């Protein structure tokens, strides 16, 4: 019975690793398919999608602010906001990729420079591949600036994971210190109450 219990407790961390790896891999696959589908859109389709989203954002800002902007002003604002919106979308997509790649590989590698380097190179190659694919889409072009922006997004996602992991470890250390302190205090109190023989 003891051996069975030991086997179960040994397998638990391994099962957790496999589950986290599987979830991260599936989400990464979904993200890649989304990025590929956006890159496969021609210039007209891609432009109309980003313009529509830009117009929705400006309409929402108008409704929340209560300024009652004119249609002409809203159209101008939407046009000006379209390019930054595309760049924000790029950055956000690859920030998510950085998080997922880091989570996936951190299950099998120790936290350190090799894990950071692998995540950064993975994101960089993915961004370069996406831009290469985009080069062959009608009306689209490949941009080195976008590759660098995407890589920065991936690095930001990885940095978020590193900070979150550090905070989680610090919280765990504080909790264990508190538990040890309360246990030693309880033992001391018991010793004080124990009758002398």
């Amino acid at each position: 019975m003891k051996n069975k219990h030991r086997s179960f407790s040994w397998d638990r961390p391994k099962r957790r690793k496999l589950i986290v790896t599987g979830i991260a891999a599936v989400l990464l696959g979904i993200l890649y398919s989304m990025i590929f589908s956006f890159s496969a859109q021609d210039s007209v389709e891609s432009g109309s999608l980003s313009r529509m989203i830009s117009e929705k954002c400006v309409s929402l800002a108008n409704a929340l602010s209560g300024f009652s902007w004119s249609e002409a002003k809203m159209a101008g604002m939407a046009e000006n906001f379209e390019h930054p919106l595309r760049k924000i979308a790029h950055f956000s997509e690859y920030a998510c990729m950085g998080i997922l790649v880091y989570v996936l590989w951190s299950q099998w590698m120790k936290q350190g420079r090799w894990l950071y380097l692998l995540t950064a190179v993975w994101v960089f190659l993915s961004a370069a591949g996406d831009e290469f694919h985009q080069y062959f889409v009608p009306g689209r072009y490949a941009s080195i600036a976008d590759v660098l922006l995407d890589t920065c997004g991936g690095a930001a996602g990885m940095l978020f994971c590193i900070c979150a992991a550090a905070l989680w470890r610090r919280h765990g250390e504080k909790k264990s210190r508190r538990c040890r302190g309360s246990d030693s205090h309880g033992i001391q109190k018991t010793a004080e109450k124990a009758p002398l023989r």
Side-chain angles (χ1 to χ4, degrees):
M1 192 70 183
K2 277 185 179 179
N3 289 338
K4 279 185 180 179
H5 179 69
R6 277 180 190 169
S7 173
F8 176 77
S9 62
W10 183 84
D11 283 339
R12 231 163 85 182
K14 194 174 180 181
R15 279 203 302 273
R16 180 187 161 278
K17 278 184 178 184
L18 290 170
I19 289 165
V20 172
T21 302
I23 291 168
V26 169
L27 291 174
L28 198 57
I30 293 167
L31 182 63
Y32 270 115
S33 66
M34 281 173 60
I35 291 170
F36 182 84
S37 65
F38 286 140
S39 295
Q41 293 174 344
D42 61 28
S43 57
V44 175
E45 194 178 356
S46 177
S48 63
L49 177 63
S50 57
R51 200 172 300 114
M52 182 190 73
I53 295 168
S54 180
E55 285 168 359
K56 293 285 184 190
C57 290
V58 171
S59 296
L60 181 63
N62 182 44
L64 292 173
S65 64
F67 288 142
S68 302
W69 294 318
S70 65
E71 290 293 325
K73 186 172 182 178
M74 285 172 66
M77 288 174 72
E79 191 177 340
N80 292 334
F81 186 55
E82 188 182 338
H83 183 71
L85 182 68
R86 290 173 78 95
K87 299 307 171 188
I88 291 166
H90 263 272
F91 189 90
S92 303
E93 285 170 354
Y94 283 86
C96 291
M97 185 183 289
I99 290 169
L100 292 172
V101 171
Y102 181 88
V103 167
L104 192 152
W105 284 110
S106 65
Q107 303 306 305
W108 307 98
M109 293 176 71
K110 285 183 179 178
Q111 192 174 16
R113 62 182 176 183
W114 290 113
L115 176 57
Y116 307 152
L117 184 64
L118 175 64
T119 305
V121 169
W122 184 300
V123 172
F124 173 79
L125 292 175
S126 298
D130 180 47
E131 290 299 315
F132 180 73
H133 162 243
Q134 208 168 266
Y135 179 77
F136 298 98
V137 177
R140 305 292 294 274
Y141 62 93
S143 168
I144 294 170
D146 280 352
V147 173
L148 295 174
L149 178 70
D150 297 342
T151 306
C152 288
M158 178 176 65
L159 187 62
F160 170 80
C161 289
I162 293 166
C163 293
L167 287 170
W168 181 258
R169 277 198 305 274
R170 194 175 295 174
H171 173 71
E173 284 167 9
K174 280 183 181 176
K175 196 174 178 182
S176 63
R177 275 201 298 269
R178 252 186 266 122
C179 288
R180 282 200 300 269
S182 63
D183 287 348
S184 61
H185 189 63
I187 291 164
Q188 193 178 352
K189 272 194 170 181
T190 308
E192 285 171 5
K193 285 180 182 177
L196 295 169
R197 291 183 180 178

